[in-house]
């Protein structure tokens, strides 16, 4: 049988709708978790799911599900991703995973196909971690990585609580609505890196996700007026932090080629031109496929940073905000993604993900796999993030074909 | 004649009132210019001035004046400072200059002294520059350093305009209320540095103010996801900025012992843990008594920073936010401050100010001088800023005595 293919023109309309909800200049999107833009987008997804004949439910983390009945009432195949974005994010990250899932369902409806198992679309809450840290709060809550109390007590930078903001946008559902069991989870996503594009490959069959650590460093020095305090008497937290950050970069460059280190957030107290900074808080994101390399780097770095702080007579506190080891997806699903791409005649390769995804936590819950699509210039988390229409269409076709094969699988994965 | 002395217990009450308006933990004060706390404090000052029999007027920059008649209607002696603070400021910076002036007036009232010239108390708007940059907007506007349009169009970080915020707190007065001419200006202030305390001296007769430059640097790199982008392909604005900041510090340490360099403000875009920073904007504050040394340092630094940016393939823009040369106060007033301290039996010395003050701009408007009091541990612009009661009392007495001598001076200064 020839593989089914989606209606791309129809899917494109949903992508364009999404691109307007939280639109910012330069084709960017700012749709922070549980914001009013997130609410608008969620309401539209709910409407689309109802129109597609799905049974919609919301759980206590705000995760949204749309269930399509199967021939059996066995554990469902779950497909989806997230609709929230970074503060200056793009139109594709997460969004494609939800909207290709919706289009796959609509295509099944077009052909009046009743799958063996039920299928559920999912939109996870606060994947990005841009508003409420850490990321993956919705999938992490669902899969028991985070307790409900922990998730509810996360605060944004304005001190607003996850729990209240979830209720505020009317997406606080019942605990009994959580996904109880799943046959498998499938997530389509943009690569967010340069590998597929550089090699001219369309479909990535994702083997797993690199381990990562998020650290928060607090440098406490001594404040004072920028003018009268002589330099040798200062305990300037900014100068100490700048030195430490430079050292982290230098060390990472010689430590291991595949290590990535990012300082994405830095806050200055008090933060005025003519005040010597008394406190600097900054984040460090460290990733590597080999968990031991990552951990060794961090251990060594901690000792060296502490020495630097001591030399400068400032205090340094290091907190681990988040840490996950490298995980490997289900071999049968990785293989099926490759096979579906082959059936459709699309170039494909296996690769690891350098970014975290909801699939990360779902992998411990049920058999899991991901499909990657090329990112132009390898960019994401920026306004100029782009995945080409032709690649999106091919990705949706691979998702549909993989889905049909996985849902018809009678065995326990 | 024995010098008059102030009623310290009465003055202490006004200091304690002020310490409550915008109180923050650890005995700090957060009373940003044109905030609701600033409004409350201004209303109290107006009440105090009216109770002291002063004629109150507000000019179009929100500068507040309280005039006490003299035997003549000659140009007045003006005394005062500012009541706004840094975001995490202390209880004394600026505040003492206004409240000692009020107490000096009250003391003249107690003794029913009619001075030769009129005396005006002044409270200048937005001295700190913590909310609206640059600092000294009120005194700079009055003395013609800044145009009215420039001052009115300053915006805070939330994009709010000076003009609207001034109207919002009901302190937008008429242009005709500006101080037209003055015989002299006197400002009492905390030293904000360690010199007086280290030498066990109570009174500083300020000779002038060190020149300073405020620069804003913008580093533009390329954003992207923290995970998948390999380190060699990045144009990480944070790493570039950290290197530049470290270099600025190293260079300043070898360039000149008396140079001070401070990076007090740094903003990251987009500012999320898992996003490579695409843009970093930070301030650099450079001060030196010798204007040529300061300018040479900045010129060399600019070239070196540009080279560093080029090496890293990021862009660097440098803007001068503010620049003033070193200024020297009126010899007659400096001398009178020393003499008044001597008359009262207080230890004293001459010194330059490393910090900017309203007296800086007033110095071009009329004969100007300042009185410095010791700062415990040299600290200011922090919650723990402290000047001891006994020093405040002595400072107020010197202000009163200097004021009486200067107002009785019949000559043009």
């Amino acid at each position: 049988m020839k593989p089914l293919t989606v209606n791309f023109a129809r899917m494109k309309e949903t992508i364009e709708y999404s691109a307007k909800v939280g639109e910012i200049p330069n084709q960017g999107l700012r749709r922070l978790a549980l914001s009013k833009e997130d609410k608008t987008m969620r309401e539209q997804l709910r409407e689309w799911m109802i129109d597609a004949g799905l049974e919609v439910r919301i759980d206590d983390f705000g995760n949204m599900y749309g269930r399509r009945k199967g021939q059996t009432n066995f554990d469902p195949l779950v497909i989806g991703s997230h609709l929230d974005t970074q503060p200056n994010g793009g139109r594709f990250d997460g969004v494609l995973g939800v909207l290709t899932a919706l289009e796959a369902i609509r295509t099944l409806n077009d052909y009046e196909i009743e799958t063996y198992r039920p299928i559920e679309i999912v939109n996870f809450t606060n994947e990005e971690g841009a508003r409420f840290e850490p990321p993956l709060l919705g999938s992490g809550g669902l899969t028991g990585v985070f307790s409900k109390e922990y998730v509810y007590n996360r605060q944004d930078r304005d001190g607003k609580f996850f729990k209240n903001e979830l209720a505020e946008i009317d997406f606080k559902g019942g605990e009994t609505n959580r996904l109880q069991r799943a046959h498998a989870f499938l997530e389509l996503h943009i690569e967010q890196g340069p590998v597929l594009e550089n090699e001219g490959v369309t479909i990535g069959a994702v083997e797993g996700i690199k381990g990562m650590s998020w650290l928060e460093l607090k440098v406490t020095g001594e404040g004072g007026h920028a003018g009268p305090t002589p330099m040798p008497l200062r305990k300037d937290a900014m100068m100490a932090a700048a030195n430490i950050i430079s050292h982290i970069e230098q060390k990472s460059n010689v430590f291991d080629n595949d290590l990535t280190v990012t300082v994405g957030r830095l806050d200055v107290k008090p933060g005025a031109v003519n005040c010597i900074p008394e406190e600097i808080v900054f984040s460090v994101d460290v990733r590597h496929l080999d968990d031991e390399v990552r951990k060794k780097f961090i251990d060594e770095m901690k000792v060296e940073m502490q020495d630097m702080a001591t030399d400068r007579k400032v205090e340094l506190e290091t907190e681990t905000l988040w840490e996950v080891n490298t995980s490997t997806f289900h071999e049968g699903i990785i293989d099926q993604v490759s096979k579906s791409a082959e059936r459709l005649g699309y170039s494909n390769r296996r690769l690891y993900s350098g970014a975290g995804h909801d699939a990360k936590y779902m992998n411990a819950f049920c058999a899991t796999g991901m499909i990657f699509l090329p990112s132009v210039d390898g960019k994401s988390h920026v306004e100029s993030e782009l995945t080409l229409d032709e690649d999106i269409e091919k990705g949706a076709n691979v998702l549909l074909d993989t889905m049909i094969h996985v849902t018809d699988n009678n065995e326990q994965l």
Side-chain angles (χ1 to χ4, degrees), chain A:
Chain A
M1 193 187 105
K2 198 173 152 241
L4 288 184
T5 53
V6 301
N7 178 341
F8 182 68
R10 178 173 60 192
M11 180 170 53
K12 179 89 176 161
E13 281 175 24
T14 64
I15 296 171
E16 280 169 0
Y17 179 94
S18 161
K20 298 289 178 199
V21 185
E23 190 178 20
I24 56 174
N26 304 316
Q27 306 208 289
L29 255 191
R30 181 187 181 89
R31 194 159 66 211
L32 296 176
L34 312 188
S35 64
K36 67 176 198 297
E37 294 82 13
D38 191 20
K39 176 182 165 78
T40 302
M41 190 64 220
R42 285 165 169 267
E43 285 167 347
Q44 181 60 68
L45 176 66
R46 175 159 56 197
E47 207 175 301
W48 283 334
M49 292 199 294
I50 291 169
D51 290 347
L54 304 184
E55 188 188 330
V56 175
R57 63 182 202 281
I58 317 291
D59 73 16
D60 50 334
F61 300 111
N63 298 319
M64 300 175 66
Y65 309 91
R67 182 181 174 94
R68 186 174 189 272
K69 291 205 175 92
Q71 295 163 23
T72 68
N73 202 20
F74 292 169
D75 294 344
L77 167 64
V78 181
I79 47 174
S81 188
H82 62 95
L83 291 171
D84 67 321
T85 77
Q86 288 288 326
N88 293 74
R91 293 164 292 160
F92 304 103
D93 180 347
V95 172
L96 289 190
V98 178
L99 298 183
T100 52
L102 176 68
E103 178 54 33
I105 294 285
R106 287 172 166 181
T107 304
L108 292 182
N109 291 347
D110 292 343
Y111 292 95
E112 296 178 0
I113 292 170
E114 191 176 23
T115 55
Y116 183 69
R117 293 170 178 278
I119 298 178
E120 295 194 5
I121 295 182
V122 64
N123 168 34
F124 287 115
T125 301
N126 192 64
E127 192 272 348
E128 293 292 357
R131 180 170 178 199
F132 298 98
E133 292 181 2
L136 307 179
L137 282 183
S139 52
L142 171 69
T143 58
V145 176
F146 306 127
S147 71
K148 185 166 174 170
E149 192 194 348
Y150 177 81
V151 173
Y152 274 16
N153 284 315
R154 292 306 89 203
Q155 285 176 280
D156 69 10
R157 290 193 200 182
D158 298 329
K160 291 182 178 170
F161 286 95
F162 181 99
K163 181 183 180 179
N164 300 338
E165 295 299 289
L166 183 60
E168 180 71 27
I169 65 159
D170 281 328
F171 274 88
K172 185 155 167 279
E175 192 168 324
T176 53
N177 285 339
R178 291 186 195 173
L179 180 69
Q180 300 299 323
R181 292 169 54 89
H183 176 61
F185 175 68
L186 250 182
E187 180 173 9
L188 177 145
H189 207 280
I190 57 173
E191 183 200 339
Q192 311 184 266
V195 177
L196 295 177
E197 186 188 49
N198 283 353
E199 301 190 2
V201 170
T202 306
I203 300 296
V206 185
E207 297 178 274
I209 294 182
K210 280 186 195 173
M212 67 186 90
S213 296
W214 282 16
L215 308 177
E216 184 171 275
L217 277 70
K218 181 156 104 177
V219 179
T220 309
E222 216 170 81
H225 191 291
T229 314
M231 298 292 275
L233 296 185
R234 296 184 181 201
K235 295 173 186 169
D236 183 327
M238 173 69 85
M239 294 305 180
N243 261 270
I244 288 172
I245 293 168
S246 291
H247 177 71
I248 292 173
E249 187 196 33
Q250 282 157 26
K251 184 176 175 68
S252 76
N253 285 342
V254 295
F255 198 83
D256 187 294
N257 279 341
D258 294 326
L259 194 73
T260 61
V261 182
T262 309
V263 173
R265 188 158 61 64
L266 186 146
D267 296 304
V268 187
K269 185 181 161 190
V273 180
N274 54 351
C275 290
I276 301 168
E278 63 182 84
E279 184 185 291
I280 304 280
V281 177
F282 63 96
S283 63
V284 184
D285 172 308
V286 184
R287 306 185 193 211
H288 198 281
L289 194 58
D290 184 338
D291 295 325
E292 292 313 309
V293 172
R294 173 173 49 86
K295 285 171 187 169
K296 186 159 180 287
F297 175 76
I298 291 171
D299 287 346
E300 288 186 15
M301 194 179 74
K302 279 183 181 171
V303 174
E304 291 161 14
M305 293 188 306
Q306 205 61 60
D307 287 347
M308 293 175 77
T310 305
D311 282 352
R312 283 180 168 264
K313 295 180 181 134
V314 297
E315 281 179 42
L316 177 70
E317 292 167 61
T318 307
E319 192 189 342
T320 302
L321 294 179
W322 193 48
E323 186 169 21
V324 278
N325 285 340
T326 291
S327 59
T328 303
F329 290 148
H330 189 275
E331 186 54 39
I333 296 183
I334 304 169
D335 195 48
Q336 183 57 54
V337 171
S338 300
K339 280 183 185 155
S340 291
E342 290 294 332
R343 268 165 56 79
L344 286 150
Y346 305 153
S347 58
N348 62 88
R349 65 159 279 175
R350 287 177 165 233
L351 80 175
Y352 265 87
S353 170
H357 297 286
D358 292 307
K360 168 94 209 167
Y361 290 148
M362 290 303 287
N363 191 43
F365 186 82
C366 62
T368 290
M370 289 188 80
I371 298 166
F372 267 3
L373 302 182
S375 294
V376 172
D377 292 335
K379 285 189 193 173
S380 71
H381 285 193
V382 290
E383 293 93 332
S384 55
E385 172 184 297
L386 178 64
T387 293
L388 302 175
D389 279 357
E390 59 189 84
D391 291 335
I392 298 173
E393 181 170 9
K394 287 175 182 171
N397 289 336
V398 172
L399 179 72
L400 176 62
D401 194 66
T402 305
M403 190 179 93
I404 290 171
H405 281 87
V406 174
T407 178
D408 281 347
N409 185 333
N410 196 5
E411 294 160 28
Q412 178 65 38
L413 292 179

